[in-house]
Amino acid sequence: MITTGGGTGTGNGTERSEGSPDAVVHLYQELRRRGVSSLGEVGAQLRLSPEEYERCRCELTDLGLIVPTNPAQHGARGELRAGGVGGGPPRESAGDEAGDGDTVAVIDPEIALLRLLHREREQLREHLDEADRAYDTLETLAGAFLRAGSLTRADADVELLSDYRRIQQVLEDITDVIQHSLASMHLTSLRREVGERVLSRDRRQIENGVRVRAMYSEQACVSPEVAEHLRRRVEAGVEVRIASAVPMPLIIADEQFAVVPVDPAEPAAGAVLARGPALVRSYLALYEHCWHTALPYGDGSAPDLGGDGLSEQQRAALSMLASGMKDEKIARGLGVSLRTVSRMLSELMQEMGATSRFEAGVRAYRLGWVD
């Protein structure tokens, strides 16, 4: 904010300010001392060069610290800002009529600031209105495809995708609008460049709170390159499991979209996009069955299961959960990472149909899984 007091005044108004970085302050202070006055006349008395005068005039006008008082100019600051009073300070006044042409009034800095903020707010509101209109247009064009939540339990739609580029675009579109979960099956490994895009997408989705699961067949995991890719996905937070056999490639998003092959034996035949829970539920049930029979990536053998189907580690985790322990303490008690504990408890809660940690503990106790 420009200050107007102290020892920076111009005294008799004839101090030379040319080349000074404070010339605009000197000009403003002198204008404020005089009240309504000729901008060009004051600039000449301060001995401002045409360039310095122009710079000061533009800055004071843009900041709203001066406004024209000539009735022909009032309310049209563009003329003053554009140099309507000449490219430099006049050497002398040509009389009252000529002097009125560049007469300006000085505005208090506080008032100028409030006006500037108001102008910026109005511009921001216009930009927001434009963004809202653009969003409404895109939403209308996208239709139900981008509004996953608009699909009710009775809604169902199927689209046959025969063009490879269309399939890739559909996959990109789906993964961009995921809000809760992404589950996938893979018969083969991914090319390196595709794998990098998948990792980048994994990180973005997990940061947004999406649960990402991926299942691979044992045959797809024989090469060191694939093993490294899976290791990096696990490090990113993806839940990865390995199955002795995967029935077909499959992608399920938010229990609303599923992409499956037209013919699992012939990948080049195209894909089917299924929309709506009425269709996706069956594919999700198949996926969950395969998921629970597969092994977490990195496990060399199946865990020892008790009569309740739980491993000792799962049983211990449930017991600690039921006693009120937090995930960090459970991880220390089991000697595993926090990510492993979070994944394990999430799988157990899903298997029991529990929607909260408290409900999971209660159900585990009722099922006799914990003492």
Side-chain angles (χ1 to χ4, degrees):
M1 181 178 297
I2 295 176
T3 59
T4 60
T8 60
T10 60
N12 58 11
T14 60
E15 178 180 342
R16 181 175 177 83
S17 301
E18 183 177 353
S20 169
D22 297 327
V24 65
V25 177
H26 293 164
L27 178 59
Y28 176 78
Q29 289 176 332
E30 183 62 20
L31 287 169
R32 184 161 186 173
R33 187 182 68 82
R34 297 188 182 198
V36 176
S37 56
S38 167
L39 178 63
E41 180 181 339
V42 175
Q45 291 180 355
L46 291 177
R47 300 172 64 188
L48 297 177
S49 68
E51 295 78 12
E52 195 74 18
Y53 171 83
E54 181 69 14
R55 182 183 68 83
C56 295
R57 179 186 60 78
C58 289
E59 186 168 345
L60 290 175
T61 305
D62 289 339
L63 291 175
L65 291 171
I66 58 174
V67 294
T69 59
N70 184 357
Q73 291 177 304
H74 191 67
R77 301 180 190 176
E79 183 176 348
L80 181 63
R81 185 180 293 110
V85 297
R91 294 301 179 184
E92 59 182 2
S93 175
D96 292 341
E97 183 177 353
D100 287 344
D102 67 345
T103 302
V104 296
V106 178
I107 306 301
D108 287 338
E110 291 81 3
I111 296 176
L113 176 61
L114 290 175
R115 288 176 176 173
L116 183 62
L117 292 175
H118 177 74
R119 185 165 67 246
E120 293 295 330
R121 184 175 60 183
E122 290 300 318
Q123 291 178 356
L124 178 59
R125 184 176 290 116
E126 291 177 4
H127 290 318
L128 290 176
D129 290 341
E130 291 178 3
D132 287 340
R133 288 192 294 270
Y135 180 85
D136 291 341
T137 301
L138 291 174
E139 190 177 33
T140 300
L141 292 175
F145 181 76
L146 290 179
R147 294 194 302 271
S150 68
L151 293 170
T152 65
R153 302 187 69 87
D155 289 333
D157 183 39
V158 173
E159 179 182 352
L160 181 63
L161 309 173
S162 56
D163 184 85
Y164 174 79
R165 291 168 298 182
R166 170 62 178 155
I167 295 174
Q168 294 304 309
Q169 186 60 54
V170 165
L171 294 176
E172 291 292 332
D173 292 343
I174 288 176
T175 54
D176 281 346
V177 298
I178 292 175
Q179 297 179 345
H180 305 293
S181 63
L182 173 66
S184 59
M185 283 183 181
H186 305 276
L187 290 174
T188 59
S189 59
L190 300 174
R191 298 193 307 273
R192 175 171 298 182
E193 60 273 15
V194 177
E196 290 298 326
R197 292 204 304 268
V198 169
L199 281 169
S200 176
R201 188 173 61 213
D202 288 341
R203 298 186 185 100
R204 183 174 68 251
Q205 290 171 343
I206 291 172
E207 288 175 359
N208 292 333
V210 176
R211 183 191 184 192
V212 182
R213 293 187 290 171
M215 197 183 327
Y216 293 83
S217 67
E218 291 179 347
Q219 183 180 1
C221 305
V222 294
S223 70
E225 291 81 5
V226 175
E228 174 64 15
H229 173 70
L230 297 187
R231 182 190 66 79
R232 293 176 65 187
R233 294 198 75 181
V234 171
E235 287 182 350
V238 178
E239 301 173 39
V240 177
R241 290 196 174 188
I242 308 301
S244 57
V246 171
M248 61 181 176
L250 173 64
I251 294 177
I252 301 175
D254 281 344
E255 302 182 11
Q256 294 282 354
F257 303 102
V259 180
V260 298
V262 172
D263 183 356
E266 183 54 55
V272 173
L273 170 62
R275 302 187 186 99
L279 289 175
V280 176
R281 278 196 302 267
S282 298
Y283 294 115
L284 184 59
L286 171 64
Y287 187 90
E288 295 297 349
H289 172 77
C290 296
W291 180 259
H292 288 296
T293 58
L295 293 175
Y297 179 71
D299 286 7
S301 59
D304 294 330
L305 302 179
D308 50 15
L310 298 178
S311 67
E312 287 298 323
Q313 188 180 61
Q314 290 173 320
R315 194 177 296 107
L318 275 177
S319 180
M320 287 186 276
L321 174 67
S323 67
M325 288 187 183
K326 295 187 177 297
D327 289 2
E328 292 82 358
K329 193 169 183 179
I330 296 175
R332 288 196 298 270
L334 296 177
V336 298
S337 68
L338 179 60
R339 182 178 296 163
T340 298
V341 169
S342 298
R343 183 171 63 244
M344 183 190 311
L345 294 178
S346 176
E347 293 169 356
L348 289 170
M349 289 173 62
Q350 184 174 7
E351 186 172 342
M352 290 185 291
T355 58
S356 66
R357 295 166 60 90
F358 176 80
E359 184 181 3
V362 171
R363 292 196 177 193
Y365 178 80
R366 290 177 176 174
L367 291 171
W369 290 1
V370 297
D371 298 328

